[in-house]
Amino acid sequence: MSLPDYDVAILGGGPAGSALALLLARAAPRPERIALFAAPPRAGVAAAAAAGDPRVLAMNHGSRVLLESLGAWPQQAADIRTVHVSQRGRLGRTLIRHEDFAVPRLGSVAPYDAVQAALQAAVAASGVTRIEQPQARIAAHDGPGATISAGQRSWSCALAVQADGSPGPDHLRDYGQHAVLATARASLPRAGWAWERFTREGPLALLPHPQGDGAYSVVWCCSPERAARLKQMDAQAFSQALNEAFGARLGRLCAQPAHAAVALATGLRPRPVQGRSVAIGNAAQTLHPVAGQGLNLGLRDAARLALALQSWLPQPDADPSAVLRRYAQVREPDRRLTAGLTDLLPRLFATGQPLVEHACGLALLGLDLAAPVRAPLARLLLHGLRA
């Protein structure tokens, strides 16, 4: 049997795919036999980040430690040391503090383009083969290997990893919500604080922005109708609406007009492993943005898959089926629990039923008063479910 073009082909140059490529490069006897299929780098990504691109990534403490270990952490980032969770119009709130878990921070917020630039630089120095083919797809994944195709070209590999796209229609839930993205500055900022405020239309999050100087990244989940209206507002009208929804905890919020509005849905691929292919990150599951768990879950996919493949990489002509089955079994509890939690929270707080809302408020108060009850939830958000 002829040697395939590559041992592992990774489709998708986003954070999850790039992190996996770097992790595999460390363990592979020949890193050049790890292929990363990705779109060409956008011109001036670092300049875009410095200019205040509103797109940011919220990463928990575990994700930051992983990227730092890979030499792929950007210089510009804002720490989250305290998370304030509340419910609009009801009593009860919870504070989650980094001191409670003996970590320097609960998480960090970094510009999307800066994270991508750091990952691309690390990949370029790793020995991994980068192939700029954004339209690459897995054409076959059974038998002795897999086939990657793009237009008239094709490549063979022993194992294919889908790290871009979505999990498809399997277990899909449409929330009837859009996430409106914007940036704002607060007249009374609180350094290192992030805010998650539940409303009847969906959660409203304010995250410390890497720009600093009282800047916050706004993720406002609301009805499609409200999202359409917010998108049409100028800065003054949007700021007024934001202050009415969020309240006065940060003083006066002065916002830029909404940058984008994204329809929200969740999807979970029931079988991320099929033949000689495995899906990770957004290709395996998409989550509601509440608590910012999507990227963190994808990076845990990458870390666990790289660990599972360590024994196989020195002998890539061996059948990886047993290794992949074990990977899927180990990842399933974390995937299910994280997806279930991020699915439940936005629906629970948006029922519009007073008794449920009061119960949610009491639950927030209980979490705040009882550290032993709060700790497991916070650890899940910090590190995921360990198996």
Side-chain angles (χ1 to χ4, degrees), residues 40 42 54 82 120 130 133 138 153 156 158 188 190 196-198 219 224 271 286 297 320 345 354 365 369 377 380:
R42 293 198 299 122
T82 302
Q120 289 169 5
R130 180 184 169 95
Q133 284 286 354
I138 301 175
R153 295 197 60 186
S156 60
L188 298 174
R190 302 194 68 170
E196 188 91 65
R197 188 155 174 77
F198 288 96
V219 183
R271 294 178 59 205
T286 55
L297 186 59
L345 288 176
L365 179 61
L369 295 175
L377 173 62
L380 172 67

Side-chain angles (χ1 to χ4, degrees), residues 64 73 76-80 105 107-111 192 207-212:
R64 175 165 179 167
W73 184 253
Q76 188 182 17
D79 285 350
I80 297 174
R105 62 192 68 81
S108 303
V109 182
L207 310 174
H209 198 285
Q211 290 178 12

